[in-house]
Amino acid sequence: MSEEWGPWIEHDGMGTPVPEGTRVEVEDWGGRIYTGQVVGREPLPGEVDVWDWRHCISQGRPQWLVKRYRIRKPRGLTMLQQIARDAKCPQKVDA
C-alpha cells in the first residue's frame, strides 16, 4: 500500500507545527523534498533546526528552511475513507 498525504501546508517558520513522531514530507526553500519523522528534541551540535527559520538563518543555511509540509494520512484513516467511498447509501423510502 502506497503512502497517502494530506494537502501541502505553508510553513510560517515559527517552530515545528506537528507533534513528535508525525511522518511528514517537507519542501525546503532550495526546492528539495524530504520525507521523515518529526523528532521532538533540540538539534545536536552541528545539526540545523529546519523548522525554526531564525535558527536556520543563524546557522548560515537559509535554503534549508521548511517552506511547506504535508502530513502522511494514517493507514486506518485511508482505509476508512475507502470504505466510505465504497459504501452504498440507503435510499429514502416514503412510507
Side-chain angles (χ1 to χ4, degrees):
M1 176 181 239
S2 65
E3 293 182 313
E4 289 193 37
W5 299 92
W8 284 105
I9 301 166
E10 298 298 317
H11 182 49
D12 63 6
M14 302 301 289
T16 309
V18 293
E20 178 180 350
T22 304
R23 187 149 175 81
V24 294
E25 189 168 62
V26 300
E27 180 180 6
D28 67 17
W29 283 92
R32 293 172 294 272
I33 295 178
Y34 303 95
T35 303
Q37 191 167 334
V38 174
V39 178
R41 63 167 172 76
E42 291 294 316
L44 297 173
E47 290 182 334
V48 175
D49 181 357
V50 297
W51 292 98
D52 184 341
W53 291 358
R54 295 168 302 173
H55 182 264
C56 218
I57 290 171
S58 72
Q59 296 294 316
R61 304 288 186 193
Q63 72 277 15
W64 290 0
L65 302 173
V66 173
K67 178 179 180 180
R68 62 186 188 151
Y69 65 95
R70 60 186 181 174
I71 299 170
R72 184 179 67 94
K73 292 181 181 179
R75 287 204 172 111
L77 175 59
T78 302
M79 290 167 42
L80 287 172
Q81 288 173 328
Q82 185 61 48
I83 290 168
R85 283 191 294 268
D86 294 345
K88 295 188 188 315
C89 295
Q91 298 294 323
K92 182 177 179 180
V93 178
D94 292 326

